[in-house]
Amino acid sequence: VPDLVPGSLVPPAIQLPATPRSHLTPARCPQTYSAPFYPHAKMYLMSGARPMFAGGDERARTLYTLLADLSHSRSLDEVFRAALTSLLQATSADRAAILLFDDDGVIRFKASNGLSDAYQAAVTGHCPWPRGARDAESFLVPDVFLDPGLAAYKDVFVREGIRALGFVPLALHEGVFGKFMLYYSARI
């Protein structure tokens, strides 16, 4: 895990978007529209579906709660728990997780909410971005069963009741060091 310094807990790669996702166009957000592993990710952005993040007052309240929780955290586990709680409050996701690359280069679960051990074991190591990737962008997969890049995980998604996913890179100046995951039980 990179050293966490003031201001680095919410790096630019994971800050909440100022522009509603439904207003993005390929010209404004080309990397989101060209997510190489997940060609159906752009369907969400163009469909006008429910937003990935809460808006206005709710976003401010969630951010305030997160910052208060972080300022009182005494361990990395408490930081992870505060981040997961805020992710779930700020999004329409049903479940969430934090995964970080370990020294051996494999991305592993460090904290999760509502995911079975069997699911975590089945998808450990999966990440759309290599460790150290720069300019990684968040994206959603509105229906995991329509995305050929996720076909190998179909049975795992069925058993776990997952229908849609959100990928949010965790990155500092060295590039991607992990990801937040958002899990939805219905298509988005």
Side-chain angles (χ1 to χ4, degrees), residues 97-175:
I98 298 171
L99 296 88
L100 302 176
F101 283 100
D102 284 341
D103 291 338
D104 62 2
V106 176
I107 195 163
R108 291 187 173 90
F109 286 84
K110 301 303 177 187
S112 68
N113 183 304
L115 298 171
S116 70
D117 291 340
Y119 174 81
Q120 292 180 40
V123 300
T124 290
H126 176 269
C127 190
W129 315 282
R131 181 183 203 163
R134 299 189 187 274
D135 301 323
E137 295 285 333
S138 302
F139 64 94
L140 289 170
V141 178
D143 189 334
V144 296
F145 300 128
L146 296 179
D147 200 303
L150 296 172
Y153 300 102
K154 180 180 180 180
D155 292 340
V156 176
F157 293 143
V158 169
R159 283 192 303 273
E160 199 72 14
I162 295 171
R163 191 63 190 263
L165 298 170
F167 292 81
V168 181
L170 295 172
L172 295 172
H173 62 279
E174 298 95 14

Side-chain angles (χ1 to χ4, degrees), residues 48-62:
R50 62 186 175 169
M52 182 175 175
F53 294 105
D57 293 339
E58 173 113 5
R59 183 170 35 181
R61 188 175 16 264
T62 300

Side-chain angles (χ1 to χ4, degrees), residues 24-31 33 46:
L24 294 176
T25 64
R28 291 185 192 154
C29 195
Q31 291 176 335
Y33 281 86
M46 299 174 78

Side-chain angles (χ1 to χ4, degrees), residues 13-81:
I14 62 167
Q15 288 183 356
L16 301 177
T19 305
R21 301 299 260 179
S22 60
H23 293 98
L24 294 176
T25 64
R28 291 185 192 154
C29 195
Q31 291 176 335
T32 301
Y33 281 86
S34 62
F37 299 106
Y38 307 99
H40 297 288
K42 67 181 177 182
M43 289 171 35
Y44 167 82
L45 298 173
M46 299 174 78
S47 70
R50 62 186 175 169
M52 182 175 175
F53 294 105
D57 293 339
E58 173 113 5
R59 183 170 35 181
R61 188 175 16 264
T62 300
L63 182 58
Y64 175 80
T65 302
L66 172 62
L67 294 175
D69 289 347
L70 291 176
S71 70
H72 295 97
S73 295
R74 294 183 178 166
S75 68
L76 194 53
D77 188 52
E78 289 181 11
V79 169
F80 290 158
R81 193 62 37 210

